[in-house]
Amino acid sequence: MATEKIIGIDLGTTNSVVAVMEGSEVKVIANQEGHRLTPSVVAFTDKGERLVGDPAKRQAVTNSRRTIYSIKRFMGRRHNEVKSEEKLVPYKVVGGEQELVKVEIDGKTYTPPEISAMILRKLKEAADAYLGHTVRKAVITVPAYFNDSQRQATMDAAQIAGFDTEWEIEDPKTHKKSKQRMRIINEPTAASLAYGLEKKKNEKIAVFDLGGGTFDISVLDVSEGLFEVKATNGDTHLGGDDFDQVLIDHVAAEFQKQHGIDLRKDPMALQRLKEACEQAKKDLSQQTQTDINLPFITADASGAKHLQITITRSQFERLVEHLIDRCRQPVLTALKDAGYKPSDIDEVVLVGGMTRMPRVQQLVKEVFGKEGHRGVNPDEVVAIGAAIQGAQLLLGSESKVLLLDVTPLSLGIGVASGEMVKIIEKNTTIPTRRTRDDFSRREDQTTAVIPVFQGERPMATDNRLLGEFNLLNLPSARAGMPPQIEVTFDIDANGILHVSAKDKLSGKEADIRIERSSDLSKDEVERMRREAETHADEDKRKLELAQAKDHADRSIREVEKLLEQHGGALSDADKAPIKSAIDKVREAMAGSDLQAIRQAQSNLQAAAQALSRFASQPPQPAGAGAPATAGATSGGDDVIDAEFEEKK
């Protein structure tokens, strides 16, 4: 039996990465296309096929409305929270103002966890193939500033993709078995593991993580085996997508000034422009200027229009300065919350593709007074850290790594005055348990509704409602005995919350585990998981069907070529079954019966045996023996004929 592995996955906005620890080394696993980065893109074709990763990204220009990217920005979010993100994507985002976002493709709706699960499944299949066995356990990373709903949506996606959400692990030293939930860790914390695993000295580090869709800053104390997060902050509405959009709007506006045509209203033109601007952004990190050249981008009555524009690095930096400046305040807030000055930080670890931008690196130097550390691959470091954490979980008591993370946002309950009373403050080390016993109720109150909120605003309704539960059938209190309710908040290592309440007078209790804040029930998640497995089988069958049709088509071309070269030597009676077999293959290819296609191809090869004896003979000169056909040659065609003969 293969040794159990827990893989590490960075489920990114733009790209995703999977890694596994083997011995003392971490291996980044290439996908089915041979690439270490898998585009976080899912597409649905007009034939009902589903594409994930590189194949999905390649066809985005011609199928933009059915191509889903940046889905991470919609995870665990309600429609009224994604107004800015919705404008950045060509696909249809649906749902009521207070409803969690869904994506509509050809009349069918998909949740962000469903789409994310398709990406996770592709990574899982790559890991299965690499390790030689089915992988069921993973450590998955999320932005540090993800709220409870976003974290739960990520766990839902993992479950739909076929990962276990609860494990039983045997400690290799004590042999005791224990149950663990799937581990979700913060991306900056994962990056710190990859950076600091071999560090022997105590360091204060900051992880500056600017990715495709989110920005995180975490401040940690790192010593040998101990990774303690002191504070975290960020912006879940800021990332590389926003930088791309600024450049898209600029180029589109310049084109409109020149030609009077708004490219943003043409889905195909917009997708070409998006890809060109994304590449220009990357180029400007390496060079001081670049050209965007898109011939035949559109047309009007006067003819085709071409887009050609030069963008300089300084020009681009001016355009996006407001976005770069948005990184500054979260950094300063995290430092303040940690109780550190910028000069206290020994190392700033740069994570995320956007940190390759020179202006971003300059900002880091401005804030911290030192260059950012670029010794780790910003695209892969998070997955590497997740894989390290996965390996440490398997070690149990033998693990030499202790990871102490924090909750990114405050948690509390809403009271009658409308205020949110905080039970657990942001940046509290997790796992943690906090209790308050000073909540009162009216003497005649028999039911207490306890709403649970997450956020930093003083009024409860300005924060995010995670859930609510009731204390029922409470007795009336005796005069002079003010009834009190005790409320306990318990956060696990994943940042998932459990809340309980107890009426001290009667002893009545109630609780709620805030684990369905993604609004997907357990039944829905299970249904989506089964559908994902079914689709995986369907996708495999579609691939086999496509390959069979391709092989059949090649067989037709080879036989027709032989007929063209040597058919003159055969009678019409000899050629009739061959032509009939060709027609039968074409008829089978028009359908979707895999076995029928293979059988028709086999029958064609059998019918073409009459031609095979000519295939190995040198071509006859014109006028000698069989008459030469118009397509006959004396060179390379012999190679094709010989290949066909081998397939007998």
Side-chain angles (χ1 to χ4, degrees), residues 278-290 312-313 316-317 353-361:
E278 184 181 353
Q279 186 58 52
K281 176 191 70 177
K282 294 176 182 177
D283 292 342
L284 289 171
S285 293
Q286 308 297 324
Q287 54 203 54
T288 55
Q289 71 175 44
T290 189
T312 66
R313 180 186 289 176
F316 180 52
E317 289 175 352
M354 283 305 304
T355 60
R356 291 188 172 94
M357 185 176 177
R359 180 65 186 95
V360 173
Q361 296 170 6

Side-chain angles (χ1 to χ4, degrees), residues 628-646:
T629 61
T633 63
S634 60
D637 286 342
D638 286 338
V639 178
I640 296 173
D641 295 344
E643 284 184 353
F644 177 75
E645 188 177 30
E646 289 173 4

Side-chain angles (χ1 to χ4, degrees), residues 292-410:
I292 297 176
N293 191 355
L294 296 172
F296 303 97
I297 187 72
T298 190
D300 61 12
S302 65
K305 304 297 179 187
H306 314 294
L307 188 157
Q308 187 167 6
I309 187 172
T310 298
I311 305 292
T312 66
R313 180 186 289 176
S314 61
Q315 184 183 15
F316 180 52
E317 289 175 352
R318 286 196 301 273
L319 289 170
V320 299
E321 184 62 30
H322 66 290
L323 297 176
I324 292 170
D325 199 56
R326 278 172 58 184
C327 298
R328 193 183 301 269
Q329 191 54 53
V331 172
L332 297 175
T333 301
L335 287 168
K336 182 182 177 182
D337 290 344
Y340 295 152
K341 301 187 296 293
S343 57
D344 294 331
I345 301 300
D346 299 301
E347 199 80 75
V348 184
V349 181
L350 301 181
V351 180
M354 283 305 304
T355 60
R356 291 188 172 94
M357 185 176 177
R359 180 65 186 95
V360 173
Q361 296 170 6
Q362 185 184 344
L363 173 72
V364 169
K365 189 175 182 180
E366 290 170 4
V367 173
F368 291 96
K370 57 175 61 71
E371 300 279 353
H373 176 80
R374 299 198 291 272
V376 293
N377 185 320
D379 296 317
E380 299 178 353
V381 64
V382 170
I384 290 170
I388 292 170
Q389 176 67 3
Q392 295 301 317
L393 291 175
L394 289 174
L395 290 173
S397 60
E398 294 184 344
S399 174
K400 297 180 179 179
V401 172
L402 178 60
L403 184 61
L404 299 175
D405 219 326
V406 298
T407 182
L409 297 162
S410 299

Side-chain angles (χ1 to χ4, degrees), residues 21-43:
M21 196 160 190
E22 296 188 309
S24 60
E25 299 292 324
V26 178
K27 171 73 175 179
V28 175
I29 300 171
N31 61 24
Q32 295 85 336
E33 290 76 36
H35 302 146
R36 292 159 70 97
L37 298 184
T38 296
S40 302
V41 184
V42 174

